């Protein structure tokens, strides 16, 4: 399983998609000059842009690598060769996932380090009113990685039921937008403004809220950018949610993949 | 027809709810982008006015974009700062600006700028001294700033409106980092300093002669003013029937055309 994970990481580094997406990271170099256009919060804007860029790169990586990894292996008949070795299908799926998750974590830490250098430089040129919330920044970056690892798990689930890359890619994009909005929709429907909706609609929204992944809980950008205090108990809950939800998705993916006919 | 002024539009702005759903985890970035779009537009307008080219601004578009930016990121100080600059001074929508500032205070509870803006708006424009004092008390609590504490008390009733405007504009101009915004505040500040000079001369005249001066020229001729202050908006200062200092420019580059 760990051998598959290591091979997956190596494969990703050789992947042209990865190299293409990483070119986007060149945008870090223009962040200081764009941030200087802010009227009152230059450092905060540099952090906004840096964290947004990290999220955007991770989104592209998780959709295009997470959504195509299993499919490519099956398309090239690499999966059959691997499964002819003493490797179970479950180990194969989990190994591939761990490889991509490890790669995402590595990329996040690297991008986080580059972002920190950019923010530190901007803060030196335009000293902010309050110091940079470094711990919050670190948490924001790590929780961003958790979010996109969860998205990779979703992409894996789609890959196990699909024979092409359409469902994994477009399914992941859809689940990302839906999962980012569920909290807002739920809050609105359960607020006094939502009384106008029927009880059935309330039940459907509540059911979807609990079933679909909630990506907005991983978003700690506001805490990092504006130094808003973090709740440790809240962070623990989110991490627990990440572990349980990812484990559930991988379990379902493994079951489906184990029963799947592979040619 | 060639010289007919046209309204340069900012473009279509979707409802803030649409932005909220579409932005996913890029809300802060989207908010910053909207502020940047409005700021670029405003910078373009400002550049035109300095060349004496008057283009009717798309104020409603600017207001709508700033409201969306604040909905997307209620912590975005640039958005409040711009709202204060444009909604209050240019659009005269002081109550709308204070509603946004009140909304922002729920999030940026540590920030003295927002109650500072709201206090000035309430005291200077709305003449609601009780509300202004409440805001200035908040500023005083957050900063320990002496002026704010004074403004929160009886000083609020005694302070001349021009003093209040100069104190406010000085703080705004000093903190501004964008050149278009900074220059716009500097010009307004220079205009108010001119007003203050004439007001001081007028008060001195009243104190000595017991009656109101007939004109600004009279203050100059009688030696109460060393020189005539220049209105940076291109107008001429005068005294209205109540003795208040006014300018033919109405303190706007477009004022003389209206």
């Amino acid at each position: 399983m760990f051998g598959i994970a290591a091979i997956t990481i190596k494969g990703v580094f050789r992947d042209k998609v990865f190299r293409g997406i990483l070119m986007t990271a060149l945008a870090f170099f223009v962040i200081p000059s764009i941030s200087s256009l802010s009227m009152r919060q230059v450092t905060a804007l540099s952090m906004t842009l840096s964290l947004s860029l990290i999220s955007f790169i991770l989104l592209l990586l998780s959709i295009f690598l997470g959504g195509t990894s299993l499919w490519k292996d099956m398309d090239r008949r690499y999966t059959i060769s691997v499964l002819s070795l003493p490797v179970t299908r479950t180990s194969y799926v989990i190994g591939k996932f761990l490889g991509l998750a490890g790669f995402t974590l590595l990329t996040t830490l690297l991008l986080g380090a580059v972002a920190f250098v950019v923010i530190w430089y901007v803060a030196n040129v335009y000293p902010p009113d309050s110091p940079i919330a470094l711990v919050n920044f670190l948490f924001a970056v790590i929780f961003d990685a958790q979010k996109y690892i969860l998205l990779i798990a979703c992409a894996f689930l789609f890959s196990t039921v699909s024979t092409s890359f359409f469902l994994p890619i477009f399914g992941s994009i859809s689940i990302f937008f839906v999962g980012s909005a569920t909290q807002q929709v739920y809050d609105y429907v359960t607020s006094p403004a939502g009384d106008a909706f029927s009880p059935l609609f309330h039940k459907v929204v509540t059911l979807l809220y609990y079933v679909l992944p909630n990506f907005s809980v991983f978003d700690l950008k506001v805490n990092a950018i504006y130094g808003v205090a973090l709740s440790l108990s809240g962070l623990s809950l989110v991490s627990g949610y990440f572990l349980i939800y990812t484990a559930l998705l991988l379990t379902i993916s493994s079951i489906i993949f184990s029963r799947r006919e592979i040619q | 027809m060639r010289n007919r002024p046209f309204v340069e539009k900012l473009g279509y702005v979707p409802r803030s709810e649409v932005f909220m759903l579409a932005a996913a985890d890029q809300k802060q970035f989207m908010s910053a982008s909207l502020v940047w779009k409005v700021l670029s537009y405003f910078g373009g307008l400002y550049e035109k006015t300095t060349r004496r080219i008057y283009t009717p601004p798309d104020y409603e578009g600017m207001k709508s974009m700033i409201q969306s930016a604040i909905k997307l990121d209620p912590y975005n100080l640039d958005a409040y700062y711009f709202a204060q600059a444009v909604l209050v001074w240019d659009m005269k929508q002081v109550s709308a600006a204070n509603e946004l500032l009140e909304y922002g205070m729920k999030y940026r509870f540590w920030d003295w700028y927002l109650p500072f803006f709201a206090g000035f708006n309430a005291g200077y424009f709305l003449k609601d001294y009780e509300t202004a004092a409440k805001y200035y008390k908040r500023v005083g609590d957050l900063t320990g700033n002496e002026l704010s504490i004074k403004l929160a008390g009886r000083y609020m009733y005694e302070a001349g409106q021009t003093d209040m405007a100069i104190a406010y504009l000085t703080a705004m101009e000093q903190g501004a980092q964008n050149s278009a915004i900074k220059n716009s505040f500097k010009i307004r500040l220079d205009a108010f300093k001119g007003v203050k000079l004439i007001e001081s001369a007028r008060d001195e005249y009243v104190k000595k002669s017991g009656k109101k001066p007939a004109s600004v020229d009279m203050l100059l001729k009688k030696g109460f003013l060393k020189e005539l202050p220049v209105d940076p908006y291109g107008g001429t200062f005068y005294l209205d029937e109540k003795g208040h200092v006014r300018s033919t420019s109405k303190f706007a580059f477009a004022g003389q055309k209206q």
Side-chain angles (χ1 to χ4, degrees), chain A residues 12-262:
Chain A
V12 171
F13 279 113
R14 284 197 295 265
D15 199 311
K16 282 178 190 167
V17 176
F18 162 66
R19 289 177 196 170
I21 292 170
L22 212 60
M23 291 298 282
T24 318
L26 291 174
F28 274 115
F29 292 107
V30 295
I31 286 178
S33 50
I34 296 176
S35 305
S36 67
L37 300 170
S38 166
M39 289 176 279
R40 297 302 281 255
Q41 46 172 22
V42 179
T43 306
L45 183 57
S46 73
M47 200 180 282
T48 301
L49 297 176
S50 300
L51 288 173
S52 298
L53 185 57
I54 292 175
S55 291
F56 182 63
I57 292 171
L58 291 179
L59 175 66
L60 293 179
L61 286 174
S62 47
I63 287 173
F64 288 104
L65 296 177
T68 59
S69 184
L70 276 179
W71 170 79
K72 265 186 192 170
D73 282 3
M74 284 189 274
D75 193 51
R76 293 170 186 168
R77 301 187 184 281
Y78 173 72
T79 311
I80 292 177
S81 313
V82 175
L83 292 178
S84 64
L85 300 168
V87 175
T88 63
R89 289 191 180 198
T90 301
S91 303
Y92 174 74
V93 171
I94 294 174
K96 289 288 288 180
F97 173 78
L98 287 179
L100 285 184
F103 165 78
T104 305
L105 204 58
L106 277 176
T107 311
T108 308
L109 293 176
L110 179 73
L111 293 174
V114 176
F116 175 73
V117 172
V118 169
I119 296 160
W120 175 82
Y121 169 75
V122 173
N124 272 290
V125 179
Y126 303 94
D129 292 339
S130 49
I132 301 169
L134 188 58
V135 175
N136 293 16
F137 172 74
L138 199 65
F139 273 111
V141 170
I142 291 169
F143 276 72
D144 227 23
Q146 287 187 23
K147 174 168 59 184
Y148 290 105
I149 291 171
L150 180 59
L151 185 60
I152 290 172
C154 294
F156 263 55
L157 178 62
F158 291 128
S159 295
T160 55
V161 294
S162 170
T163 51
S164 75
F165 62 87
F166 284 105
L167 178 64
I169 288 186
F170 292 106
S172 304
I173 294 171
S174 308
I175 204 86
F176 173 72
F177 279 101
V178 171
S180 298
T182 48
Q183 186 69 52
Q184 275 169 248
V185 174
Y186 179 76
D187 289 345
Y188 180 74
V189 170
T190 52
S191 73
D195 290 347
F197 297 111
S198 68
L200 178 68
F201 185 76
H202 272 93
K203 280 182 185 165
V204 171
V205 168
T206 308
L207 178 73
L208 289 174
Y209 172 70
Y210 286 112
V211 170
L212 292 170
N214 186 342
F215 290 118
S216 60
V217 293
F218 297 97
D219 194 354
L220 304 180
K221 287 192 185 75
V222 157
N223 305 77
I225 299 164
Y226 304 105
V228 177
L230 289 165
S231 148
L232 281 180
S233 58
L235 294 179
S236 313
L237 271 176
V238 173
S239 288
Y241 173 77
F242 161 73
L243 290 173
I244 293 168
Y245 208 108
T246 308
L248 269 174
L249 287 175
L250 284 179
T251 307
I252 299 168
S253 302
S254 299
I255 293 168
I256 296 171
F257 193 71
S258 299
R259 294 177 180 189
R260 183 174 172 163
E261 191 179 325
I262 298 171

Side-chain angles (χ1 to χ4, degrees), chain B residues 73-222:
Chain B
D73 180 4
Y75 293 90
N76 189 341
L77 183 58
D78 279 346
Y80 295 109
Y81 189 73
F82 192 82
Q84 176 65 11
V86 174
L87 281 185
V88 172
W89 290 100
D90 296 300
M91 293 181 76
K92 311 289 182 209
Q93 293 197 8
V94 183
S95 297
N98 269 17
E99 272 173 34
L100 285 180
L101 293 168
E102 271 284 351
Y103 180 72
M105 279 180 235
K106 285 185 221 157
Y107 295 90
R108 295 185 66 91
F109 52 85
W110 66 88
D111 191 349
W112 63 271
Y113 274 116
L114 305 190
F116 178 69
F117 296 159
F120 173 75
N121 295 344
Y124 186 79
F125 290 107
L126 303 174
K127 315 290 181 210
D128 180 355
Y129 298 120
E130 200 177 324
T131 307
K134 185 189 82 181
Y135 288 128
Y136 277 116
K137 183 178 182 311
R138 188 167 172 163
V139 179
D141 291 344
L142 288 168
T143 62
N145 178 274
E146 203 179 327
L147 175 63
S148 305
I149 294 162
K150 276 184 185 169
L151 286 171
R154 276 187 59 79
Y155 179 81
M156 191 74 202
Y157 298 90
E158 294 160 5
Q161 297 284 298
T162 312
D163 285 330
M164 202 195 300
I166 288 174
Y168 165 82
L169 288 166
T170 304
M172 294 290 274
E173 193 249 336
Q174 281 171 355
Q177 276 157 348
N178 178 276
S179 61
I181 292 282
K182 195 178 183 75
N183 283 332
S184 107
F185 278 124
K186 190 180 178 314
I187 289 169
R188 203 172 287 279
L189 181 60
D190 289 344
F192 272 90
K193 282 179 179 170
V195 170
K196 179 65 191 166
L197 266 178
I198 299 170
E199 280 180 352
S200 301
R202 176 201 62 194
D203 295 345
E204 190 65 24
Y205 180 88
V206 172
K207 203 173 160 187
K208 288 202 172 160
S209 66
K211 54 185 180 182
K212 286 178 191 171
S215 67
V216 175
D217 282 339
M218 178 192 268
L219 293 170
L220 189 68
K221 280 177 193 160
K222 301 235 173 182

Side-chain angles (χ1 to χ4, degrees), chain B residues 57-68:
Chain B
D58 182 7
Y59 282 132
E60 283 307 318
M62 284 198 267
K63 181 182 168 187
S64 174
M65 271 200 185
I66 288 297
Q67 283 172 332
S68 292

